[in-house]
Amino acid sequence: MSFGQPQMLLFGLVALLPLVLHLIGRRKARAVSFSALAFLLAHDRRRARALVLEQRLLVALRMAIAGLVALALARPMLPDWSADAGLALGQGPVAVAIVLDDSLSMASRLGDQNRMFAAKKRARSLIAGLPAGSLALVVTSSRPARAMQPRLSADLRSVAADVDRHAVSSRPDDAASALRIARRLLADAPLKNRQIVVISDLQKGGWQILRRPPTAVSRVVVPVGTPVDDTEIVDVSVEPATDRGAQFVQVRVQLRRRGKTPWQGQVTLHLGDREVRQRVTVPAGEVMAHSFVVPAVADRAEVTLEHEGSQSFDGQPGNDRRHVLVGGGSTLRVLVVNGSPRPVPRDDETFFLVQGLAAGRQRADELRIDVTQSYSQQPWDVLVLANVAELSGAHVGEIRQRVAAGAGVLLTTGDAVAQAPSPWLHHLWPLPISNPSAACDVRLGSSRLGAQQPKTQALQRELGLTVLPAMRHGRVRRRLLLKPHSQLRSSTLVNYDDGVPAWVSVPYKKGKIALWTTSIDRDWSDLPMQTGWLAFVRQLIWTTAGRKATLGRRVVDSGAPVLLERKATDRELILLRGERRQRTIDITDQPPGLWRVKGLEQPGLWTLRVRSDKGSREAFVIVRPPATESVAQLDKAPDRSAASDGSGEAATPMMPAWSLALAALFGLLLAEALLLRRTSQ
């Protein structure tokens, strides 16, 4: 039994009052000799004993009545053994869409089984207990969310079999899309009773949408698993160790401990035939960084965690191993033109941009950053024109030609652009400008503005989950305003909280031209001082680079496509994970000049071996686990929920029992009335 208002049980102390009054009254009663009564009592001792019993029973009834009043006020809950899987789906046939969480966090273990095992068990139990004539389907929530059946099915055995065959994926949650698919499929159901059932561990990074009230179709949340302690490798980056020499690199590892206990163990770096260990302690709830300075004797490295002691339990072993590229990948060339150089580094126009890009490199040769005070005709993949007041027409024409061939340009504003006419800006930027310097007091808002392309939607989703929440406290004091245009809405990636565009990216033939409508220093905003700035400027540059960045990227998220340059003599591409061949891809249905690889799901190091008429070559790609995945769970979901115990499986469902307590109270009052009547007679 459990209670909705357990504090009301304190009123149960009132039940002692009848007993106290009875004892006090009996102690103060004075015995008076009365010969006739003594004669009657001596004549019928059995009747005397009955009177004493009736008095004691009356006291007990009054105590029970007071106790039941307190019990009813506490709203008791009793196990509902008749309910299937703890879900009250109504009477008669029902149309049910089960949203099954199959993201990486469901692999977290508690005991001998993981959360996915418990979720599948609940789903099978629910499907088996549906009334005759019911319809069901299953929607998986890992990105991209998808329905396992094309429509609601009356073949419940087939639906349950699909659940049995499904396994945990390595992708993050896409809860919003999963719920949207479930609502759309339920809209065509011929039954009036429609329900969405969410079976999930309610991982924080993916299920924030459950804090919003349900729309149209009601939903029931079935939590599986309980919060567990976990230590994860958040990020691994490589940068040159310039103080040790050109042949040395610094490998920086970030660790996070989730839970209530600290973690003790060893962080091990495997680089070629070298193995370097460090013993570390990460306090509960903290993020700590550890660095290794080693010779760059190999082009890839591996970082692993080894746990020590019973207090270092780890509920998600999948995030205890990370690979990182030390070299061997394509280099993205970034040319930064500083339009407002200053002697103090922290006041310089490009200081925070350059520092953010350098700190966010995932390998030593990933980015090459050149900073100049005027545009020069050197090679570049991304050009950043930071608060540039003047640019010749010849240079503008050359920049447009490079963008048309696949490069990217990022324009940022500031005082120099606002004070000068800057006619080059109107020639290079394709959308009309309203005001180059408008005063304001705003913050960054949402990144969901209805973009139509899937790639843009995915970018906006990633920004909204990981980057923008860390920059919401930054204030913007001045900004550039754009005139209304038919292309503006679809090209806006981030806006301010008043709806004005902040980051706009317009495609131009094979490349992109992007505009950041405020400065990248502290003159017009304090955004560079926010914790999310490093991740934001990296996303800003890599998104502007477009195809140039995709071809050079060797670290991708789980499920993201990989693009490699394909030569005319190439014949096939072999995918290997470790030493095991996964599959072979031929040139059929491949884009011109490219190898496009889809479906690299498992995190880790992949080898892409290209066979051609002139031999073979290899490239290494690292598939990293989702950055938003962890075992942290929502504190509370607002929907109707089935309770969960601490075993990783859902507990027995509960039903309200206060009505039973009131019925028992009524019965006790009736019994007291009958006893008083008998006593009076």
Side-chain angles (χ1 to χ4, degrees), residues 138-152:
V138 178
V139 179
T140 57
S141 67
S142 64
R143 187 179 301 170
R146 55 202 178 279
M148 299 178 68
Q149 297 81 27
R151 60 186 63 86
L152 287 164

mmCIF file of all heavy atoms in Angstrom, residues 138-152:
data_model
loop_
_atom_site.group_PDB
_atom_site.id
_atom_site.type_symbol
_atom_site.label_atom_id
_atom_site.label_comp_id
_atom_site.label_asym_id
_atom_site.label_seq_id
_atom_site.Cartn_x
_atom_site.Cartn_y
_atom_site.Cartn_z
ATOM 1 N N VAL A 138 3.632 -0.155 -33.034
ATOM 2 C CA VAL A 138 4.784 0.248 -32.234
ATOM 3 C C VAL A 138 5.590 1.274 -33.016
ATOM 4 O O VAL A 138 5.882 1.075 -34.205
ATOM 5 C CB VAL A 138 5.669 -0.959 -31.863
ATOM 6 C CG1 VAL A 138 6.889 -0.506 -31.068
ATOM 7 C CG2 VAL A 138 4.869 -1.981 -31.065
ATOM 8 N N VAL A 139 5.950 2.386 -32.355
ATOM 9 C CA VAL A 139 6.799 3.428 -32.926
ATOM 10 C C VAL A 139 8.080 3.478 -32.096
ATOM 11 O O VAL A 139 8.018 3.594 -30.874
ATOM 12 C CB VAL A 139 6.104 4.801 -32.917
ATOM 13 C CG1 VAL A 139 7.020 5.871 -33.491
ATOM 14 C CG2 VAL A 139 4.797 4.750 -33.688
ATOM 15 N N THR A 140 9.225 3.356 -32.749
ATOM 16 C CA THR A 140 10.505 3.461 -32.045
ATOM 17 C C THR A 140 10.953 4.921 -32.015
ATOM 18 O O THR A 140 10.745 5.666 -32.976
ATOM 19 C CB THR A 140 11.571 2.593 -32.719
ATOM 20 O OG1 THR A 140 11.703 2.977 -34.094
ATOM 21 C CG2 THR A 140 11.183 1.122 -32.653
ATOM 22 N N SER A 141 11.599 5.316 -30.919
ATOM 23 C CA SER A 141 11.880 6.737 -30.706
ATOM 24 C C SER A 141 13.306 7.143 -31.035
ATOM 25 O O SER A 141 13.623 8.330 -30.975
ATOM 26 C CB SER A 141 11.593 7.110 -29.243
ATOM 27 O OG SER A 141 12.507 6.473 -28.374
ATOM 28 N N SER A 142 14.201 6.209 -31.356
ATOM 29 C CA SER A 142 15.563 6.618 -31.696
ATOM 30 C C SER A 142 15.559 7.316 -33.050
ATOM 31 O O SER A 142 14.758 7.003 -33.927
ATOM 32 C CB SER A 142 16.497 5.412 -31.722
ATOM 33 O OG SER A 142 16.132 4.508 -32.739
ATOM 34 N N ARG A 143 16.471 8.272 -33.215
ATOM 35 C CA ARG A 143 16.496 9.099 -34.416
ATOM 36 C C ARG A 143 16.993 8.315 -35.627
ATOM 37 O O ARG A 143 18.037 7.655 -35.542
ATOM 38 C CB ARG A 143 17.415 10.302 -34.172
ATOM 39 C CG ARG A 143 17.413 11.350 -35.260
ATOM 40 C CD ARG A 143 18.327 12.497 -34.897
ATOM 41 N NE ARG A 143 17.917 13.127 -33.639
ATOM 42 C CZ ARG A 143 18.648 14.020 -32.988
ATOM 43 N NH1 ARG A 143 19.834 14.356 -33.447
ATOM 44 N NH2 ARG A 143 18.212 14.545 -31.863
ATOM 45 N N PRO A 144 16.245 8.322 -36.753
ATOM 46 C CA PRO A 144 14.950 8.961 -36.933
ATOM 47 C C PRO A 144 13.825 8.070 -36.432
ATOM 48 O O PRO A 144 13.853 6.846 -36.623
ATOM 49 C CB PRO A 144 14.870 9.155 -38.449
ATOM 50 C CG PRO A 144 15.633 7.994 -38.995
ATOM 51 C CD PRO A 144 16.760 7.731 -38.019
ATOM 52 N N ALA A 145 12.844 8.662 -35.773
ATOM 53 C CA ALA A 145 11.714 7.895 -35.269
ATOM 54 C C ALA A 145 10.960 7.271 -36.435
ATOM 55 O O ALA A 145 10.799 7.878 -37.496
ATOM 56 C CB ALA A 145 10.787 8.809 -34.468
ATOM 57 N N ARG A 146 10.480 6.048 -36.234
ATOM 58 C CA ARG A 146 9.805 5.332 -37.312
ATOM 59 C C ARG A 146 8.817 4.338 -36.723
ATOM 60 O O ARG A 146 9.008 3.839 -35.609
ATOM 61 C CB ARG A 146 10.813 4.610 -38.208
ATOM 62 C CG ARG A 146 11.724 3.673 -37.448
ATOM 63 C CD ARG A 146 13.001 3.406 -38.227
ATOM 64 N NE ARG A 146 13.918 2.549 -37.509
ATOM 65 C CZ ARG A 146 14.753 2.952 -36.555
ATOM 66 N NH1 ARG A 146 14.770 4.231 -36.217
ATOM 67 N NH2 ARG A 146 15.558 2.112 -35.945
ATOM 68 N N ALA A 147 7.763 4.049 -37.495
ATOM 69 C CA ALA A 147 6.756 3.076 -37.090
ATOM 70 C C ALA A 147 7.176 1.689 -37.569
ATOM 71 O O ALA A 147 7.587 1.516 -38.722
ATOM 72 C CB ALA A 147 5.395 3.446 -37.656
ATOM 73 N N MET A 148 7.067 0.696 -36.705
ATOM 74 C CA MET A 148 7.428 -0.665 -37.067
ATOM 75 C C MET A 148 6.361 -1.320 -37.925
ATOM 76 O O MET A 148 6.611 -2.332 -38.579
ATOM 77 C CB MET A 148 7.665 -1.496 -35.796
ATOM 78 C CG MET A 148 8.805 -0.967 -34.932
ATOM 79 S SD MET A 148 9.065 -1.904 -33.403
ATOM 80 C CE MET A 148 9.664 -3.460 -34.061
ATOM 81 N N GLN A 149 5.141 -0.770 -37.910
ATOM 82 C CA GLN A 149 4.058 -1.236 -38.784
ATOM 83 C C GLN A 149 3.533 -0.035 -39.570
ATOM 84 O O GLN A 149 3.466 1.076 -39.035
ATOM 85 C CB GLN A 149 2.912 -1.866 -37.978
ATOM 86 C CG GLN A 149 3.299 -3.112 -37.189
ATOM 87 C CD GLN A 149 3.971 -2.775 -35.876
ATOM 88 O OE1 GLN A 149 3.726 -1.711 -35.304
ATOM 89 N NE2 GLN A 149 4.831 -3.660 -35.392
ATOM 90 N N PRO A 150 3.150 -0.225 -40.820
ATOM 91 C CA PRO A 150 2.692 0.928 -41.617
ATOM 92 C C PRO A 150 1.377 1.512 -41.133
ATOM 93 O O PRO A 150 1.082 2.674 -41.391
ATOM 94 C CB PRO A 150 2.560 0.341 -43.032
ATOM 95 C CG PRO A 150 2.384 -1.129 -42.825
ATOM 96 C CD PRO A 150 3.175 -1.473 -41.604
ATOM 97 N N ARG A 151 0.574 0.712 -40.443
ATOM 98 C CA ARG A 151 -0.718 1.181 -39.943
ATOM 99 C C ARG A 151 -1.109 0.344 -38.730
ATOM 100 O O ARG A 151 -0.463 -0.657 -38.409
ATOM 101 C CB ARG A 151 -1.797 1.085 -41.030
ATOM 102 C CG ARG A 151 -2.014 -0.331 -41.541
ATOM 103 C CD ARG A 151 -2.983 -0.359 -42.713
ATOM 104 N NE ARG A 151 -2.449 0.379 -43.836
ATOM 105 C CZ ARG A 151 -1.628 -0.162 -44.733
ATOM 106 N NH1 ARG A 151 -1.229 -1.422 -44.614
ATOM 107 N NH2 ARG A 151 -1.180 0.540 -45.730
ATOM 108 N N LEU A 152 -2.175 0.757 -38.047
ATOM 109 C CA LEU A 152 -2.674 -0.011 -36.912
ATOM 110 C C LEU A 152 -3.070 -1.411 -37.353
ATOM 111 O O LEU A 152 -3.707 -1.592 -38.401
ATOM 112 C CB LEU A 152 -3.878 0.698 -36.286
ATOM 113 C CG LEU A 152 -3.567 1.970 -35.487
ATOM 114 C CD1 LEU A 152 -4.826 2.779 -35.271
ATOM 115 C CD2 LEU A 152 -2.921 1.625 -34.149
#
